[in-house]
Amino acid sequence: GLESAAAFWNTSGKKIATAVAVILVAVGGWFGYQEFIIKPKEEKAANEIFQAQQYFQQAVDATEKNDSLYNLALKGGEGKLGFIGVAEQYAGTSAGNLANYHAGITYLNLGDFKNAITYLEKFQSNDAILNPLAIGAIGDALAETNKTDEAITYYKKAAEANTNDFTSPRFLFKAAQLSLTSGKKAEAHKLFLEIKEKFETSKEGLNIDAFIAMTE
């Protein structure tokens, strides 16, 4: 047995040692890349996006629509990047991805629906709230450009992206309303019924019986 083991090591030992060394180098390189490249980049991106988020929140909280604040959020100010710059320069980071979402919502508020869709489609997330909101916002942009059928599809997709009492009834209701105004009464009725059956205690479910009766 010892002779067989020695013979195996003589023929294959060098290959095994080389393979182990390669694995160790690869693992060490991965950890080094994460610690010295990715982590600092994530921190810089988070620092850059903070000012843009402040501008965005100020615009949202303003008593009147403030396009200048939305534009500062998009393009940056006070020496900091806006959402567009963060999305481009820090692609691959969490903040860079979030910048795509915020840029899309900002463009939506500015009425630039084409760019809104472009940035919202770049946003990738499994978050229970943000993912449906991003999909639903694409539906809003499509609805604003009179792409009714596509908008309804996106609203339904948003409602199904994560089943919860906030986003699901919200986008089911939007899909139902758009179906109703576009002459699809039966489809609207079906969606209103779904809200009653699954989300009756939600905000959209409070007066849902009136909408069901309207579409019967």
Side-chain angles (χ1 to χ4, degrees):
L2 289 173
E3 288 178 359
S4 297
F8 174 78
W9 182 256
N10 286 334
T11 57
S12 305
K14 188 176 289 185
K15 292 180 181 178
I16 294 172
T18 300
V20 171
V22 169
I23 292 170
L24 290 174
V25 169
V27 171
W30 184 85
F31 278 108
Y33 179 74
Q34 292 294 318
E35 187 66 25
F36 300 111
I37 303 297
I38 296 298
K39 188 175 178 180
K41 190 176 181 181
E42 288 279 4
E43 291 173 353
K44 287 180 180 178
N47 183 52
E48 285 289 347
I49 200 175
F50 179 76
Q51 185 59 57
Q53 289 174 320
Q54 295 297 304
Y55 287 132
F56 178 82
Q57 193 58 50
Q58 289 171 26
V60 170
D61 293 339
T63 54
E64 296 182 2
K65 186 181 177 185
N66 193 320
D67 287 357
S68 62
L69 283 172
Y70 280 127
N71 279 308
L72 282 170
L74 278 175
K75 300 172 184 177
E78 298 185 31
K80 295 294 184 181
L81 296 172
F83 294 134
I84 295 172
V86 174
E88 290 175 353
Q89 294 189 30
Y90 295 96
T93 66
S94 297
N97 183 45
L98 188 60
N100 285 316
Y101 172 78
H102 281 304
I105 298 298
T106 303
Y107 273 124
L108 186 62
N109 286 322
L110 286 170
D112 186 341
F113 305 117
K114 182 178 179 180
N115 273 318
I117 293 170
T118 296
Y119 278 93
L120 288 166
E121 285 180 337
K122 292 179 182 178
F123 177 66
Q124 300 293 323
S125 176
N126 293 319
D127 186 85
I129 301 300
L130 283 183
N131 185 39
L133 287 179
I135 298 169
I138 294 175
D140 290 338
L142 290 167
E144 291 289 347
T145 53
N146 297 316
K147 296 180 180 178
T148 303
D149 290 341
E150 290 180 60
I152 292 170
T153 297
Y154 268 89
Y155 286 147
K156 290 179 180 178
K157 185 178 177 182
E160 295 170 358
N162 184 279
T163 303
N164 61 73
D165 290 335
F166 172 55
T167 60
S168 296
R170 175 178 180 173
F171 293 115
L172 283 173
F173 193 79
K174 284 194 173 192
Q177 282 188 312
L178 194 55
S179 295
L180 183 59
T181 57
S182 61
K184 299 178 180 179
K185 192 175 180 180
E187 178 66 15
H189 183 72
K190 178 182 176 183
L191 292 166
F192 287 134
L193 278 175
E194 186 174 351
I195 294 171
K196 180 177 174 62
E197 292 168 0
K198 298 179 180 178
F199 309 102
E200 191 171 8
T201 59
S202 68
K203 182 181 75 173
E204 290 77 11
L206 294 178
N207 299 308
I208 201 66
D209 286 335
F211 290 97
I212 292 172
M214 185 192 304
T215 53
E216 283 179 339

